[in-house]
Amino acid sequence: DKATKVSHLVKDFSLFLPFLSSKRKNRYEKASMDIGFVLNQVKFDIHVESTPFAEDLATQTDIKTSDIDVIHYLSYLPIPETILLKNGDLNLNLHANYQKKNLNNSLLLQGKLNILNVDVKSSLEEDIIKFPAVSVDILKSDILANQLSISKILIQTPELNVSRDKDGKINL
């Protein structure tokens, strides 16, 4: 990605699609697909079931992966220059359900994400927050309707170092 000066490597790509037909008699028959690959040394497993030729385009997807190095993707995130993320890994176990009804599209997302081994520092390399794990449980949420429902956020043993300077600014 030349715009962000980050490179990505995909390898060991596999696609298993045993049946797909656009014939009228098969239009509502689900097509299942399994996709696997390694992206930047992280294994992704994706299972898709879809009726891609039906009017509603109903599609269900399960995405599972672990140990995504968040640091590798920081250039894509709007993080203030005063904050440095020094370490962080991401695990995903998500289920997405897409459906088109008339002119409305819905993308329902639910599942769990875990953020591990987080170390955030100030631009002066001072500790701000560290924690071994954060677990987020996402309830069924319609992402295209700007809805996100979280049932639980669990932060394990956070170490927080918050300070205020002489002008009253907080280091966050």
Side-chain angles (χ1 to χ4, degrees):
D1 185 349
K2 290 180 182 178
T4 60
K5 298 179 182 152
V6 176
S7 63
H8 302 285
L9 176 64
V10 176
K11 62 181 186 176
D12 300 333
F13 182 85
S14 67
L15 172 68
F16 179 69
L17 179 62
F19 176 79
L20 179 66
S21 174
S22 63
K23 292 181 180 178
R24 186 172 304 280
K25 69 177 186 173
N26 301 116
R27 187 168 285 166
Y28 295 96
E29 195 169 330
K30 284 188 179 180
S32 293
M33 176 173 37
D34 289 302
I35 305 167
F37 57 91
V38 176
L39 173 63
N40 300 325
Q41 300 179 348
V42 175
K43 184 170 176 25
F44 282 75
D45 291 310
I46 301 171
H47 176 74
V48 180
E49 289 188 357
S50 182
T51 53
F53 303 108
E55 290 83 24
D56 65 0
L57 302 173
T59 303
Q60 296 83 39
T61 305
D62 291 305
I63 303 169
K64 294 181 184 178
T65 190
S66 60
D67 300 326
I68 298 171
D69 180 9
V70 176
I71 303 300
H72 191 82
Y73 301 93
L74 285 183
S75 60
Y76 298 105
L77 302 174
I79 297 177
E81 293 178 12
T82 56
I83 295 176
L84 302 172
L85 181 60
K86 300 302 262 184
N87 194 39
D89 296 320
L90 178 65
N91 296 343
L92 300 173
N93 188 352
L94 300 173
H95 176 77
N97 187 342
Y98 174 82
Q99 193 165 13
K100 179 180 176 182
K101 290 183 181 175
N102 300 322
L103 297 176
N104 297 324
N105 297 322
S106 70
L107 177 60
L108 301 177
L109 181 71
Q110 67 185 57
K112 186 173 222 163
L113 65 88
N114 294 303
I115 308 165
L116 307 170
N117 307 315
V118 172
D119 184 5
V120 178
K121 297 188 181 293
S122 72
S123 57
L124 302 173
E125 293 286 331
E126 298 168 329
D127 287 338
I128 294 178
I129 189 168
K130 289 183 181 182
F131 49 82
V134 170
S135 177
V136 179
D137 290 350
I138 302 169
L139 295 175
K140 193 177 285 187
S141 302
D142 192 344
I143 302 303
L144 297 180
N146 295 322
Q147 176 213 2
L148 179 62
S149 299
I150 297 174
S151 64
K152 179 173 67 172
I153 298 175
L154 176 63
I155 302 175
Q156 292 182 357
T157 59
E159 296 176 30
L160 186 60
N161 181 20
V162 180
S163 62
R164 187 184 331 213
D165 67 15
K166 62 182 178 176
D167 297 325
K169 285 187 175 180
I170 296 177
N171 66 336
L172 299 177

